[in-house]
């Protein structure tokens, strides 16, 4: 396997996946409509196509390039926007993914790695969540992520398109968008660097499992390379951190307090989250390597460099 297509490769996680692939000697083509991604994020060694995955031109590009495999990250990636506009979410995340899978089927692209989310589990019934936890999505975004996992199963069973779905927890790191609705880390960081008071949705007691983007990107490439018995893996740190705790960690690094304000919790978000990444450790030979403190420091350096 030498040529890999990455949909959403101009986005936050996708651009890191492209870097990992290039470092491991793959030829890479990026497909992204730049609706949320940035062309400058894309490594210049990759070929770039500005294409919407819902556009029939997608098949033409994939047909011409002939990738052996595809990593599918292109999505409407905002949980909050999915509750405001569930139709648009479904159009991009479900119908767009079907367009990708149809192309894979017709062009005999052998394997798809899909970027799913731990949001598919809904409100946890136990922690840390493993892959056998019941699936009860509580947002249109989570419902769309789970729908695509079911389509992946159908395309594997009926058309032999192999797949692995990675249910990622909260990914953070360099290149994360700090505008509008963004990850907690990017929002706090932006606050510290611009001396702006951040807003915490909820009381800060809600918890998340934070995974550094380079670790998540590596998991996607390993999922592409490994022959595995399982098709679905949790990808996260296995460490439960409260949002207030995350803020305090960053306060310690910056040695000052911005005195955040608090607002209503976001509809569709769970109260607690921590995942068990044991299956990925066992079958993908992957483990979260970057501690929160190290990841935060690396992210801060990159945000500072970008600001100057
Ligand atoms: N960031 C996280 O914490 C997280 C956690 C779990 C899963 N995910 C999933 O990982 C993937 C990447 O997330 P991200 O945080 O990098 O988001 P992102 O918004 O930075 O990346 C998504 C990319 O897809 C592109 N895109 C959107 N619609 C498209 C379309 N119709 N055609 C072509 N390109 C399109 C965007 O321009 C963007 O570059 C998404 O599928 C997201 O649901 C993210």
């Amino acid at each position: 396997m030498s040529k890999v297509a990455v949909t959403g490769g101009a986005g936050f996680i996708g651009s890191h996946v492209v870097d990992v692939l290039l470092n491991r000697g793959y030829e890479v083509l990026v497909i992204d409509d730049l609706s949320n991604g940035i062309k400058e994020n894309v490594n210049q060694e990759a070929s770039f196509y500005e294409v919407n995955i819902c556009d029939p031109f997608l098949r033409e590009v994939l047909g011409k390039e002939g990738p052996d495999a595809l990593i599918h990250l292109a999505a409407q990636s905002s949980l909050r926007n999915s509750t405001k506009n569930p139709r648009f979410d479904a159009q991009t995340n479900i119908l767009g993914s079907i367009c990708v899978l149809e192309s894979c089927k017709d062009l005999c692209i052998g394997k798809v790695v899909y970027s799913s989310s731990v949001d598919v589990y809904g409100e946890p019934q136990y922690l840390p969540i493993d892959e056998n936890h019941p699936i009860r999505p509580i947002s249109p975004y989570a419902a769309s992520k789970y729908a695509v996992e079911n389509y992946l199963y159908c395309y594997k069973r009926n058309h032999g398109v192999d797949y692995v779905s990675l249910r990622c927890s909260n990914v953070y790191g360099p290149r994360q968008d700090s505008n509008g609705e963004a990850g907690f880390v990017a929002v706090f960081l932006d606050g510290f660097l611009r001396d702006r008071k951040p807003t915490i949705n909820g009381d800060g007691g809600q918890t998340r499992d934070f995974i550094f983007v380079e670790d998540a990107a590596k998991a996607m490439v390993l999922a592409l390379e490994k022959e595995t018995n399982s098709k679905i893996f949790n990808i996260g740190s296995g460490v439960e951190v409260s949002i207030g705790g995350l803020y305090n960690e960053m306060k310690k690094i910056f040695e000052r307090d911005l005195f955040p304000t608090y607002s209503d919790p976001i509809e569709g978000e769970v109260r607690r989250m921590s995942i068990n990444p044991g299956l990925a450790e066992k079958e993908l030979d992957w483990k979260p390597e970057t501690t929160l403190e190290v990841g935060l420091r690396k992210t801060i350096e990159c945000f500072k460099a970008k600001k100057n």
Side-chain angles (χ1 to χ4, degrees), residues 52-54 86-97 99:
N52 186 320
I53 52 168
C54 302
R87 281 171 71 118
F88 178 73
D89 179 85
Q91 195 179 318
T92 303
N93 293 8
I94 303 178
L95 295 181
S97 297
C99 295

Side-chain angles (χ1 to χ4, degrees), residues 8 10-14 31-37 51-54 73-77 92 115-117 141 145 168-171 176:
F12 163 48
I13 305 175
I31 287 159
D32 199 300
D33 69 352
L34 298 182
S35 54
N36 202 38
V51 179
N52 186 320
I53 52 168
C54 302
L73 298 109
Q76 181 302 109
S77 56
T92 303
S115 182
S116 184
S117 167
Y141 169 77
K145 287 278 150 190
C168 300
S169 62
N170 279 60
V171 185
Q176 188 162 27

Side-chain angles (χ1 to χ4, degrees), residues 8-225:
F12 163 48
I13 305 175
S15 62
H16 287 273
V17 171
V18 170
D19 290 344
V20 175
L21 286 167
L22 289 168
N23 278 337
R24 289 166 94 95
Y26 291 94
E27 206 181 324
V28 179
L29 64 130
V30 167
I31 287 159
D32 199 300
D33 69 352
L34 298 182
S35 54
N36 202 38
I38 306 171
K39 179 88 187 288
E40 293 72 56
N41 279 349
V42 182
N43 193 309
Q44 295 199 341
E45 286 171 43
S47 331
F48 177 77
Y49 292 88
E50 187 175 337
V51 179
N52 186 320
I53 52 168
C54 302
D55 191 309
F57 187 49
L58 172 74
R59 184 188 304 247
E60 215 175 293
V61 170
L62 291 172
K64 184 180 123 207
E65 288 280 349
D68 305 290
L70 183 144
I71 302 185
H72 179 37
L73 298 109
Q76 181 302 109
S77 56
S78 155
L79 186 147
R80 202 181 306 183
N81 288 346
S82 82
T83 59
K84 283 189 206 140
N85 195 345
R87 281 171 71 118
F88 178 73
D89 179 85
Q91 195 179 318
T92 303
N93 293 8
I94 303 178
L95 295 181
S97 297
I98 293 174
C99 295
V100 169
L101 285 171
E102 278 289 292
S103 290
C104 290
K105 177 192 88 178
D106 293 346
L107 300 167
C108 300
I109 296 172
K111 188 166 181 180
V112 175
V113 174
Y114 176 60
S115 182
S116 184
S117 167
V118 294
D119 286 327
V120 299
Y121 296 115
E123 205 60 68
Q125 293 181 11
Y126 59 85
L127 291 169
I129 283 183
D130 57 21
E131 290 80 358
N132 296 319
H133 185 283
I135 306 284
R136 298 241 165 78
I138 56 172
S139 67
Y141 169 77
S144 73
K145 287 278 150 190
Y146 185 50
V148 174
E149 289 190 349
N150 288 303
Y151 280 101
L152 286 164
Y153 176 77
C154 294
Y155 276 76
K156 161 79 176 151
R157 188 179 182 283
N158 301 336
H159 308 295
V161 180
D162 196 11
Y163 76 94
V164 173
S165 177
L166 300 183
R167 292 176 178 161
C168 300
S169 62
N170 279 60
V171 185
Y172 72 97
R175 301 183 202 149
Q176 188 162 27
D177 185 5
S178 56
N179 297 315
E181 183 212 349
F184 296 103
V185 171
V187 168
F188 290 161
L189 243 173
D190 195 56
F192 279 108
L193 294 177
R194 293 173 200 274
D195 222 359
R196 272 196 218 141
K197 204 183 256 301
T199 300
I200 295 179
N201 293 101
D203 62 4
Q206 71 271 40
T207 63
R208 295 291 178 269
D209 179 310
F210 292 98
I211 182 76
F212 189 57
V213 66
E214 289 171 12
D215 287 343
K218 193 171 166 204
M220 295 199 185
V221 177
L222 287 174
L224 190 78
E225 293 173 343

